[in-house]
Amino acid sequence: MPPDLPSPLMTAAAQPPGCVAGAPAAPEAARGLVLTGGGARAAYQVGVLVGIRRILLDTGWPADENPFRVFCGTSAGAINATVLASAADEFLDAIARLALVWGSLEPAQVYRVDAGGALGNAAQWLGGAGLGWLIRRQPRAFFDTGPLNDLLIRMIDFDRLARNLDGGKFDALAVSASSYTSGNHVTFFQSRSTREPITRSQRLACSAVLSPDHLMASSAIPFLFPAIPLTMEGRHEFFGDGSMRQTAPISPAIHLGARKILVIGSAEIDRNAANRDGNGSQYTYPSLAQVGAHALASIFLDALASDLERIERINRTLAMLPADALASTALRPLKTLVISPSRPLDHVAQPHVKRLPRSVRTLLRVMGATRGRGAGFSSYLLFDRSYTRRLLAMGRRDALAKRAEIEAFFSS
């Protein structure tokens, strides 16, 4: 079971008050933390933060000082970001507690694993797909994530989050989700002061009092976890995983004032590394799980890689401008530090699939998700301590391997 955390006093689920305008100028050195999605893979992010914690302590960083002004998260990364923001008054200790949670995790704390909640739910979903014309009530997803909602309520003190925000411990927290109802990608943010809204094609950012429902919506992996209803400007919409239709995952951090951004991914950025680490010449027809893993990788990875390339191009362009031309534009160079897995997590996952409950293994076996490239699909559902501890250790090693870059990032 997760270690005891401060007993949360949940605020009433407030509805988003809508978009607001008038963003104050942000300090040039304001740091932001961006945590991407990936289901159980998000344990890697916490491992990286554990390594950063070690580096900061070695340099004499005060244990109660939060180095980030802006927190942004998507999917499981939204959960990690919210935990850290809620305990920003003792940031380094919060990292240690979050690592203990991920290191003691069991699937039953995230989704129902009994026969009725796993196999029964999946059978209803598959039956509805084939016989939907006979069934009035359509099934919602493969898994029932009621246990995750209970875990979030125990883990996160949303009153404390508001106090830390009002007390200046950080400036803003953003959580992204995707609306099945409107088709929009929405970033809900809670900030100390009013901020100008983002309104782009199918991309919005609105002020909100964040709650467990926002985190449940952000982490609702398509098909696997059920959509969550949220209220947008007086109307109900159903939301799923924030990685869907997320064309610019770093944009919310920039919008909320970050000028130096640490991005921690949960999938390898270098796709060539994935091909080198596995069997790159598989000529058998792909299983359902392999197709699903490919689709999820596209959702969780491709937008981040594209966004980083876009920032690099803009930085190069700005570097070529003369000083007077640069002064006439609102654009400024962004410093980013990106840390992502040093090896494909698909291959790390495969030996641990057998640790999943029998009901879940049965479902994954039918889909071809227990071996080969299909195991990549299982890696998003492997909320088991044997796997998450491997990811924690990998993340810590990857962070320590970048010690010089991390020290430089936090030195100014």
Side-chain angles (χ1 to χ4, degrees), residues 296-380:
L296 291 177
S298 298
I299 291 171
F300 289 119
L301 173 62
D302 290 349
L304 175 60
S306 299
D307 211 15
L308 290 169
E309 289 175 358
R310 187 181 305 115
I311 290 173
E312 185 178 348
R313 287 196 301 271
I314 293 173
N315 282 345
R316 286 201 303 267
T317 301
L318 293 176
M320 293 186 290
L321 293 179
D324 57 340
L326 184 61
S328 67
T329 177
L331 294 175
R332 291 291 180 270
L334 286 172
K335 180 175 181 180
T336 59
L337 173 60
V338 182
I339 304 177
S340 61
S342 53
R343 59 169 300 199
L345 301 188
D346 296 13
H347 307 299
V348 179
Q350 185 169 340
H352 301 278
V353 174
K354 63 179 180 293
R355 295 263 309 177
L356 288 169
R358 182 186 297 273
S359 58
V360 181
R361 289 202 317 273
T362 300
L363 173 61
L364 294 177
R365 189 178 302 114
V366 170
M367 299 174 66
T370 57
R371 61 183 184 277
R373 295 201 170 194
F377 185 85
S378 299
S379 69
Y380 297 92

Coordinates of all heavy atoms in Angstrom, one line a residue, residues 296-380:
L296 N -0.7 4.2 -29.2 CA -0.4 4.9 -28.0 C 0.9 5.6 -28.0 O 1.0 6.7 -27.5 CB -0.5 3.9 -26.8 CG -1.9 3.3 -26.5 CD1 -1.8 2.3 -25.4 CD2 -2.9 4.4 -26.1
A297 N 1.9 5.0 -28.7 CA 3.2 5.7 -28.8 C 3.1 6.9 -29.6 O 3.7 8.0 -29.3 CB 4.2 4.7 -29.4
S298 N 2.2 6.9 -30.6 CA 2.0 8.1 -31.4 C 1.3 9.2 -30.5 O 1.7 10.4 -30.6 CB 1.1 7.8 -32.6 OG 1.8 6.9 -33.5
I299 N 0.4 8.8 -29.7 CA -0.3 9.7 -28.9 C 0.6 10.4 -27.8 O 0.7 11.6 -27.6 CB -1.5 9.1 -28.1 CG1 -2.6 8.7 -29.2 CG2 -2.1 9.9 -27.0 CD1 -3.7 7.8 -28.6
F300 N 1.4 9.5 -27.2 CA 2.2 10.0 -26.1 C 3.6 10.6 -26.5 O 4.2 11.2 -25.7 CB 2.5 8.8 -25.1 CG 1.2 8.4 -24.3 CD1 0.7 7.2 -24.4 CD2 0.6 9.3 -23.5 CE1 -0.4 6.8 -23.7 CE2 -0.5 9.0 -22.8 CZ -1.1 7.7 -22.9
L301 N 4.1 10.3 -27.7 CA 5.5 10.7 -28.0 C 5.6 11.7 -29.1 O 6.3 12.7 -29.0 CB 6.3 9.4 -28.4 CG 7.7 9.7 -28.9 CD1 8.5 10.3 -27.9 CD2 8.3 8.4 -29.4
D302 N 4.9 11.5 -30.2 CA 5.2 12.3 -31.4 C 5.0 13.8 -31.3 O 5.8 14.6 -31.8 CB 4.3 11.8 -32.6 CG 4.6 10.4 -33.1 OD1 5.7 9.9 -32.6 OD2 3.9 9.8 -33.8
A303 N 4.0 14.2 -30.5 CA 3.7 15.7 -30.4 C 4.9 16.3 -29.6 O 5.3 17.4 -29.9 CB 2.4 15.9 -29.6
L304 N 5.5 15.6 -28.6 CA 6.6 16.2 -27.9 C 7.8 16.4 -28.7 O 8.4 17.4 -28.7 CB 6.9 15.3 -26.7 CG 8.1 15.7 -25.9 CD1 8.0 17.1 -25.3 CD2 8.4 14.7 -24.7
A305 N 8.1 15.3 -29.6 CA 9.3 15.4 -30.4 C 9.1 16.6 -31.4 O 10.0 17.4 -31.7 CB 9.4 14.1 -31.2
S306 N 7.9 16.8 -32.0 CA 7.7 17.8 -32.9 C 7.8 19.2 -32.2 O 8.3 20.2 -32.8 CB 6.3 17.7 -33.5 OG 6.2 16.5 -34.3
D307 N 7.2 19.3 -31.0 CA 7.3 20.6 -30.3 C 8.7 21.0 -30.0 O 9.1 22.1 -30.1 CB 6.5 20.5 -29.0 CG 5.8 21.8 -28.6 OD1 5.8 22.7 -29.4 OD2 5.4 21.9 -27.4
L308 N 9.5 20.0 -29.6 CA 10.9 20.3 -29.3 C 11.7 20.7 -30.5 O 12.5 21.7 -30.5 CB 11.6 19.1 -28.7 CG 11.2 18.7 -27.3 CD1 11.7 17.3 -26.9 CD2 11.6 19.7 -26.3
E309 N 11.4 20.1 -31.7 CA 12.0 20.6 -32.9 C 11.6 22.0 -33.3 O 12.4 22.8 -33.8 CB 11.6 19.6 -34.1 CG 12.2 18.2 -34.0 CD 11.7 17.3 -35.0 OE1 10.8 17.7 -35.8 OE2 12.2 16.1 -35.1
R310 N 10.3 22.3 -33.0 CA 9.8 23.7 -33.3 C 10.5 24.7 -32.4 O 10.9 25.8 -32.9 CB 8.3 23.7 -33.1 CG 7.6 25.0 -33.5 CD 6.2 25.0 -33.1 NE 5.5 23.8 -33.7 CZ 4.9 22.9 -33.1 NH1 4.9 22.9 -31.7 NH2 4.3 21.9 -33.7
I311 N 10.7 24.4 -31.2 CA 11.4 25.3 -30.3 C 12.9 25.5 -30.7 O 13.4 26.6 -30.7 CB 11.4 24.8 -28.8 CG1 9.9 24.9 -28.3 CG2 12.4 25.5 -27.9 CD1 9.7 24.3 -26.9
E312 N 13.5 24.4 -31.1 CA 14.9 24.5 -31.6 C 15.0 25.4 -32.8 O 15.9 26.2 -32.9 CB 15.4 23.1 -31.9 CG 16.9 23.1 -32.2 CD 17.4 21.7 -32.5 OE1 16.7 20.7 -32.2 OE2 18.5 21.6 -33.0
R313 N 14.1 25.3 -33.7 CA 14.1 26.1 -34.9 C 13.9 27.6 -34.6 O 14.6 28.5 -35.1 CB 13.0 25.7 -35.9 CG 13.3 24.4 -36.6 CD 12.4 24.2 -37.9 NE 11.0 24.3 -37.5 CZ 10.2 23.2 -37.2 NH1 10.8 22.0 -37.2 NH2 8.9 23.3 -36.9
I314 N 13.0 27.9 -33.7 CA 12.7 29.3 -33.3 C 13.9 29.8 -32.6 O 14.3 31.0 -32.8 CB 11.5 29.4 -32.4 CG1 10.2 29.0 -33.2 CG2 11.3 30.7 -31.8 CD1 9.0 28.9 -32.3
N315 N 14.6 29.0 -31.7 CA 15.8 29.5 -31.0 C 16.9 29.8 -32.0 O 17.6 30.9 -31.9 CB 16.3 28.5 -30.0 CG 15.4 28.5 -28.7 OD1 14.7 29.4 -28.5 ND2 15.6 27.4 -27.9
R316 N 17.1 29.0 -33.0 CA 18.1 29.2 -34.0 C 17.8 30.5 -34.8 O 18.7 31.3 -35.1 CB 18.2 28.1 -35.0 CG 18.9 26.8 -34.4 CD 19.4 25.9 -35.5 NE 18.3 25.5 -36.4 CZ 17.6 24.4 -36.3 NH1 17.9 23.6 -35.3 NH2 16.7 24.1 -37.2
T317 N 16.5 30.7 -35.1 CA 16.1 31.9 -35.9 C 16.4 33.2 -35.0 O 16.9 34.2 -35.5 CB 14.6 31.9 -36.3 OG1 14.4 30.7 -37.1 CG2 14.2 33.1 -37.0
L318 N 16.0 33.1 -33.8 CA 16.2 34.3 -32.9 C 17.7 34.6 -32.7 O 18.1 35.8 -32.6 CB 15.5 34.0 -31.5 CG 14.0 34.0 -31.5 CD1 13.5 33.6 -30.2 CD2 13.4 35.3 -32.0
A319 N 18.5 33.6 -32.7 CA 19.9 33.8 -32.5 C 20.5 34.5 -33.7 O 21.6 35.2 -33.5 CB 20.6 32.4 -32.3
M320 N 19.9 34.5 -34.9 CA 20.4 35.2 -36.0 C 20.0 36.6 -36.1 O 20.5 37.4 -37.0 CB 20.0 34.4 -37.3 CG 20.7 33.0 -37.4 SD 20.3 32.2 -39.0 CE 18.5 31.9 -38.8
L321 N 19.0 37.0 -35.3 CA 18.5 38.4 -35.3 C 19.4 39.4 -34.7 O 20.0 39.1 -33.6 CB 17.1 38.5 -34.7 CG 15.9 37.7 -35.3 CD1 14.7 37.9 -34.4 CD2 15.7 38.2 -36.7
P322 N 19.6 40.6 -35.3 CA 20.4 41.6 -34.6 C 19.6 42.1 -33.3 O 18.4 41.9 -33.2 CB 20.5 42.7 -35.6 CG 19.4 42.4 -36.6 CD 19.1 41.0 -36.6
A323 N 20.3 42.7 -32.4 CA 19.8 43.1 -31.1 C 18.5 44.0 -31.3 O 17.5 43.8 -30.6 CB 20.8 43.8 -30.3
D324 N 18.5 44.9 -32.2 CA 17.4 45.8 -32.4 C 16.2 45.1 -32.9 O 15.0 45.3 -32.5 CB 17.7 47.0 -33.3 CG 18.2 46.5 -34.7 OD1 18.6 45.4 -34.8 OD2 18.2 47.4 -35.6
A325 N 16.4 44.1 -33.8 CA 15.3 43.3 -34.3 C 14.7 42.4 -33.2 O 13.5 42.2 -33.1 CB 15.7 42.5 -35.5
L326 N 15.6 41.8 -32.4 CA 15.1 41.0 -31.3 C 14.3 41.8 -30.3 O 13.3 41.3 -29.8 CB 16.3 40.3 -30.6 CG 16.0 39.3 -29.5 CD1 15.2 38.1 -30.1 CD2 17.3 38.8 -28.9
A327 N 14.7 43.0 -30.0 CA 14.0 43.9 -29.1 C 12.6 44.2 -29.6 O 11.7 44.5 -28.8 CB 14.8 45.1 -28.8
S328 N 12.4 44.2 -30.9 CA 11.1 44.6 -31.4 C 10.1 43.4 -31.5 O 8.9 43.7 -31.9 CB 11.3 45.1 -32.8 OG 11.7 44.1 -33.7
T329 N 10.5 42.2 -31.1 CA 9.6 41.1 -31.1 C 9.3 40.6 -29.7 O 10.2 40.7 -28.8 CB 10.1 39.9 -32.0 OG1 9.2 38.8 -31.9 CG2 11.5 39.5 -31.5
A330 N 8.2 40.0 -29.4 CA 7.9 39.5 -28.1 C 8.5 38.1 -27.9 O 8.5 37.6 -26.8 CB 6.3 39.4 -27.9
L331 N 9.0 37.5 -29.0 CA 9.6 36.2 -28.9 C 11.0 36.3 -28.2 O 11.7 37.2 -28.3 CB 9.8 35.6 -30.3 CG 8.6 35.3 -31.1 CD1 9.0 34.8 -32.5 CD2 7.8 34.2 -30.4
R332 N 11.2 35.3 -27.3 CA 12.5 35.2 -26.6 C 13.0 33.7 -26.7 O 12.2 32.8 -26.7 CB 12.3 35.6 -25.1 CG 12.1 37.1 -25.0 CD 13.3 37.9 -25.3 NE 13.0 39.3 -25.1 CZ 12.5 40.1 -26.1 NH1 12.2 39.6 -27.3 NH2 12.4 41.4 -25.9
P333 N 14.3 33.5 -26.7 CA 14.8 32.1 -26.7 C 14.3 31.4 -25.5 O 14.2 32.0 -24.4 CB 16.3 32.3 -26.7 CG 16.5 33.7 -27.2 CD 15.4 34.5 -26.8
L334 N 14.1 30.1 -25.6 CA 13.7 29.3 -24.5 C 14.8 28.2 -24.2 O 15.3 27.6 -25.2 CB 12.4 28.5 -24.8 CG 11.1 29.3 -24.8 CD1 10.0 28.4 -25.3 CD2 10.8 29.7 -23.4
K335 N 15.1 28.1 -23.0 CA 16.1 27.1 -22.6 C 15.3 25.8 -22.2 O 14.4 25.9 -21.3 CB 17.0 27.6 -21.5 CG 18.0 26.5 -21.1 CD 19.0 27.1 -20.0 CE 20.0 26.0 -19.6 NZ 21.0 26.5 -18.6
T336 N 15.6 24.7 -22.8 CA 14.9 23.5 -22.4 C 15.9 22.4 -22.1 O 17.0 22.3 -22.7 CB 14.0 22.9 -23.6 OG1 14.8 22.7 -24.7 CG2 12.9 23.9 -23.9
L337 N 15.6 21.6 -21.1 CA 16.4 20.4 -20.8 C 15.4 19.2 -20.9 O 14.4 19.2 -20.2 CB 17.0 20.5 -19.4 CG 17.7 19.3 -18.9 CD1 18.8 18.9 -19.8 CD2 18.2 19.5 -17.4
V338 N 15.7 18.3 -21.7 CA 14.8 17.1 -21.9 C 15.5 15.9 -21.4 O 16.7 15.6 -21.8 CB 14.5 17.0 -23.4 CG1 13.5 15.8 -23.6 CG2 13.9 18.3 -24.0
I339 N 14.8 15.1 -20.6 CA 15.3 13.8 -20.1 C 14.2 12.8 -20.5 O 13.1 12.9 -20.1 CB 15.6 13.9 -18.6 CG1 16.5 15.0 -18.3 CG2 16.1 12.5 -18.2 CD1 16.8 15.1 -16.8
S340 N 14.6 11.8 -21.2 CA 13.7 10.7 -21.6 C 14.4 9.4 -21.4 O 15.7 9.3 -21.3 CB 13.2 10.9 -23.0 OG 14.3 10.9 -23.9
P341 N 13.7 8.3 -21.4 CA 14.3 7.0 -21.2 C 15.5 6.6 -22.1 O 15.4 6.9 -23.3 CB 13.1 6.0 -21.4 CG 11.9 6.8 -21.1 CD 12.2 8.2 -21.6
S342 N 16.5 6.1 -21.5 CA 17.7 5.8 -22.3 C 17.6 4.5 -23.1 O 18.4 4.2 -23.9 CB 18.9 5.7 -21.3 OG 18.6 4.8 -20.3
R343 N 16.5 3.7 -22.8 CA 16.2 2.5 -23.6 C 14.7 2.3 -23.7 O 14.0 2.9 -22.8 CB 16.9 1.3 -23.0 CG 16.4 0.9 -21.6 CD 16.9 -0.4 -21.1 NE 16.4 -1.5 -22.0 CZ 16.4 -2.8 -21.7 NH1 16.8 -3.2 -20.5 NH2 15.9 -3.7 -22.5
P344 N 14.2 1.6 -24.7 CA 12.8 1.5 -24.9 C 12.1 0.8 -23.7 O 12.6 -0.3 -23.3 CB 12.7 0.7 -26.2 CG 14.0 0.9 -26.9 CD 15.0 1.0 -25.8
L345 N 11.1 1.4 -23.2 CA 10.4 0.8 -22.0 C 9.5 -0.4 -22.4 O 9.2 -1.2 -21.6 CB 9.5 1.8 -21.4 CG 10.2 3.1 -20.9 CD1 9.2 3.9 -20.0 CD2 11.4 2.7 -20.0
D346 N 9.3 -0.6 -23.7 CA 8.5 -1.8 -24.2 C 9.3 -3.1 -23.8 O 8.7 -4.0 -23.3 CB 8.4 -1.8 -25.7 CG 7.6 -0.7 -26.2 OD1 7.3 0.2 -25.4 OD2 7.2 -0.7 -27.4
H347 N 10.6 -3.0 -24.0 CA 11.4 -4.2 -23.7 C 11.6 -4.4 -22.2 O 11.7 -5.6 -21.7 CB 12.8 -4.1 -24.3 CG 12.7 -3.8 -25.8 ND1 12.1 -4.7 -26.7 CD2 13.1 -2.8 -26.6 CE1 12.2 -4.2 -27.9 NE2 12.8 -3.0 -27.9
V348 N 11.6 -3.3 -21.4 CA 11.7 -3.4 -20.0 C 10.4 -4.1 -19.4 O 10.4 -4.8 -18.4 CB 11.9 -2.0 -19.3 CG1 11.9 -2.1 -17.8 CG2 13.2 -1.4 -19.9
A349 N 9.3 -3.8 -20.1 CA 8.0 -4.3 -19.5 C 7.8 -5.8 -19.7 O 7.2 -6.4 -18.8 CB 6.9 -3.5 -20.3
Q350 N 8.3 -6.4 -20.7 CA 7.9 -7.8 -21.1 C 8.1 -8.8 -19.9 O 7.2 -9.5 -19.6 CB 8.6 -8.2 -22.3 CG 8.2 -9.6 -22.8 CD 8.7 -10.0 -24.1 OE1 9.1 -9.1 -24.9 NE2 8.7 -11.3 -24.4
P351 N 9.2 -8.8 -19.2 CA 9.4 -9.8 -18.1 C 8.4 -9.6 -17.0 O 8.2 -10.5 -16.2 CB 10.8 -9.6 -17.7 CG 11.5 -8.8 -18.8 CD 10.4 -8.0 -19.4
H352 N 7.8 -8.4 -16.9 CA 6.9 -8.1 -15.7 C 5.5 -8.4 -15.9 O 4.7 -8.3 -15.0 CB 7.2 -6.7 -15.3 CG 8.6 -6.3 -14.9 ND1 9.1 -6.6 -13.7 CD2 9.6 -5.8 -15.7 CE1 10.4 -6.2 -13.7 NE2 10.7 -5.8 -14.9
V353 N 5.1 -8.7 -17.2 CA 3.7 -8.9 -17.5 C 3.1 -10.0 -16.7 O 1.9 -10.0 -16.2 CB 3.5 -9.1 -19.0 CG1 2.0 -9.5 -19.3 CG2 3.9 -7.9 -19.8
K354 N 3.9 -11.0 -16.4 CA 3.4 -12.2 -15.6 C 3.0 -11.8 -14.2 O 2.4 -12.6 -13.5 CB 4.5 -13.3 -15.7 CG 5.8 -12.9 -15.0 CD 6.7 -14.1 -15.0 CE 8.1 -13.8 -14.4 NZ 8.8 -12.7 -15.1
R355 N 3.4 -10.6 -13.8 CA 3.1 -10.2 -12.4 C 1.7 -9.6 -12.3 O 1.2 -9.5 -11.2 CB 4.1 -9.1 -12.0 CG 5.5 -9.6 -11.8 CD 5.9 -10.0 -10.4 NE 5.5 -8.9 -9.5 CZ 5.7 -8.9 -8.2 NH1 6.1 -10.0 -7.6 NH2 5.3 -7.9 -7.4
L356 N 1.1 -9.3 -13.4 CA -0.3 -8.8 -13.4 C -1.3 -9.8 -12.9 O -1.0 -11.0 -13.1 CB -0.6 -8.3 -14.8 CG 0.0 -7.0 -15.3 CD1 -0.2 -6.8 -16.8 CD2 -0.4 -5.8 -14.5
P357 N -2.4 -9.4 -12.4 CA -3.4 -10.3 -11.9 C -3.9 -11.2 -13.1 O -3.9 -10.8 -14.2 CB -4.5 -9.4 -11.4 CG -3.9 -8.2 -11.0 CD -2.7 -8.0 -12.0
R358 N -4.3 -12.4 -12.8 CA -4.7 -13.4 -13.8 C -5.8 -12.8 -14.7 O -5.7 -13.0 -16.0 CB -5.3 -14.7 -13.1 CG -5.6 -15.8 -14.2 CD -6.3 -16.9 -13.4 NE -5.3 -17.6 -12.5 CZ -4.5 -18.5 -12.9 NH1 -4.5 -19.0 -14.1 NH2 -3.7 -19.0 -12.0
S359 N -6.8 -12.1 -14.2 CA -7.8 -11.6 -15.0 C -7.3 -10.6 -16.1 O -7.7 -10.6 -17.3 CB -8.9 -10.9 -14.2 OG -8.3 -9.8 -13.4
V360 N -6.3 -9.8 -15.7 CA -5.7 -8.8 -16.6 C -4.9 -9.5 -17.6 O -4.9 -9.2 -18.8 CB -5.0 -7.7 -15.8 CG1 -4.4 -6.7 -16.8 CG2 -5.9 -7.0 -14.8
R361 N -4.1 -10.5 -17.2 CA -3.2 -11.2 -18.1 C -4.0 -12.0 -19.1 O -3.6 -12.0 -20.3 CB -2.4 -12.3 -17.3 CG -1.3 -11.7 -16.4 CD -0.2 -12.7 -16.1 NE -0.7 -14.0 -15.8 CZ -1.0 -14.4 -14.6 NH1 -0.9 -13.5 -13.6 NH2 -1.4 -15.6 -14.3
T362 N -5.2 -12.5 -18.7 CA -6.0 -13.2 -19.7 C -6.4 -12.3 -20.8 O -6.4 -12.6 -22.0 CB -7.2 -13.8 -19.0 OG1 -6.8 -14.7 -18.0 CG2 -8.1 -14.5 -20.0
L363 N -6.9 -11.1 -20.4 CA -7.3 -10.1 -21.4 C -6.2 -9.7 -22.3 O -6.3 -9.7 -23.5 CB -7.9 -8.9 -20.7 CG -8.2 -7.7 -21.6 CD1 -9.3 -8.0 -22.6 CD2 -8.7 -6.5 -20.7
L364 N -5.0 -9.4 -21.7 CA -3.9 -9.0 -22.5 C -3.4 -10.1 -23.4 O -2.9 -9.9 -24.6 CB -2.7 -8.5 -21.6 CG -3.0 -7.3 -20.8 CD1 -1.9 -7.0 -19.9 CD2 -3.3 -6.1 -21.7
R365 N -3.5 -11.4 -23.0 CA -3.0 -12.5 -23.8 C -3.9 -12.6 -25.1 O -3.4 -12.9 -26.2 CB -3.1 -13.8 -23.0 CG -2.5 -15.0 -23.7 CD -2.5 -16.3 -22.9 NE -1.8 -16.1 -21.6 CZ -2.4 -16.1 -20.4 NH1 -3.7 -16.3 -20.3 NH2 -1.7 -15.9 -19.3
V366 N -5.2 -12.4 -24.9 CA -6.1 -12.5 -26.0 C -5.7 -11.4 -27.0 O -5.8 -11.6 -28.3 CB -7.6 -12.3 -25.5 CG1 -8.5 -12.1 -26.7 CG2 -8.0 -13.5 -24.7
M367 N -5.3 -10.3 -26.6 CA -4.9 -9.2 -27.5 C -3.5 -9.3 -28.0 O -3.1 -8.5 -28.9 CB -5.0 -7.8 -26.7 CG -6.4 -7.6 -26.2 SD -6.5 -6.1 -25.2 CE -6.1 -4.8 -26.4
G368 N -2.7 -10.3 -27.5 CA -1.4 -10.5 -28.0 C -0.4 -9.5 -27.3 O 0.6 -9.1 -27.9
A369 N -0.7 -9.1 -26.1 CA 0.0 -8.1 -25.4 C 1.0 -8.6 -24.3 O 1.4 -7.8 -23.5 CB -0.9 -7.0 -24.8
T370 N 1.2 -9.9 -24.3 CA 2.1 -10.5 -23.3 C 3.5 -10.8 -23.7 O 4.3 -11.2 -22.9 CB 1.4 -11.7 -22.7 OG1 1.2 -12.7 -23.7 CG2 0.1 -11.4 -22.0
R371 N 3.8 -10.7 -25.0 CA 5.1 -11.0 -25.5 C 5.4 -10.2 -26.8 O 4.5 -9.6 -27.4 CB 5.2 -12.5 -25.8 CG 4.3 -13.0 -26.8 CD 4.4 -14.5 -27.0 NE 3.5 -15.0 -28.1 CZ 2.2 -15.3 -28.0 NH1 1.7 -15.1 -26.8 NH2 1.5 -15.7 -29.0
G372 N 6.7 -10.2 -27.1 CA 7.1 -9.5 -28.3 C 6.8 -8.1 -28.3 O 6.8 -7.4 -27.2
R373 N 6.6 -7.5 -29.5 CA 6.3 -6.1 -29.5 C 4.9 -5.7 -29.0 O 4.7 -4.6 -28.6 CB 6.4 -5.6 -31.0 CG 7.8 -5.7 -31.5 CD 8.0 -4.8 -32.7 NE 9.4 -4.7 -33.1 CZ 9.9 -3.8 -33.9 NH1 9.1 -2.9 -34.4 NH2 11.2 -3.8 -34.2
G374 N 4.1 -6.7 -28.8 CA 2.8 -6.5 -28.2 C 2.9 -6.1 -26.7 O 2.0 -5.5 -26.2
A375 N 4.0 -6.5 -26.1 CA 4.2 -6.1 -24.7 C 4.3 -4.6 -24.5 O 4.1 -4.1 -23.3 CB 5.5 -6.8 -24.1
G376 N 4.6 -3.9 -25.5 CA 4.6 -2.4 -25.4 C 3.2 -1.9 -24.9 O 3.1 -0.9 -24.2
F377 N 2.2 -2.6 -25.4 CA 0.8 -2.2 -25.0 C 0.6 -2.4 -23.5 O 0.1 -1.5 -22.8 CB -0.2 -3.0 -25.7 CG -1.6 -2.6 -25.5 CD1 -2.2 -1.6 -26.2 CD2 -2.4 -3.3 -24.6 CE1 -3.5 -1.2 -26.0 CE2 -3.7 -2.9 -24.4 CZ -4.3 -1.9 -25.1
S378 N 1.2 -3.5 -23.0 CA 1.0 -3.8 -21.5 C 1.8 -2.8 -20.7 O 1.4 -2.5 -19.5 CB 1.6 -5.2 -21.2 OG 0.8 -6.2 -21.9
S379 N 2.8 -2.1 -21.2 CA 3.7 -1.2 -20.4 C 2.9 -0.1 -19.9 O 3.3 0.5 -18.9 CB 4.8 -0.7 -21.3 OG 4.4 0.1 -22.3
Y380 N 1.8 0.3 -20.6 CA 0.9 1.4 -20.1 C 0.0 1.0 -18.9 O -0.4 1.8 -18.2 CB 0.1 1.9 -21.2 CG 0.9 2.5 -22.4 CD1 1.2 1.7 -23.4 CD2 1.3 3.8 -22.4 CE1 2.0 2.2 -24.5 CE2 2.1 4.3 -23.4 CZ 2.4 3.5 -24.5 OH 3.2 4.0 -25.5

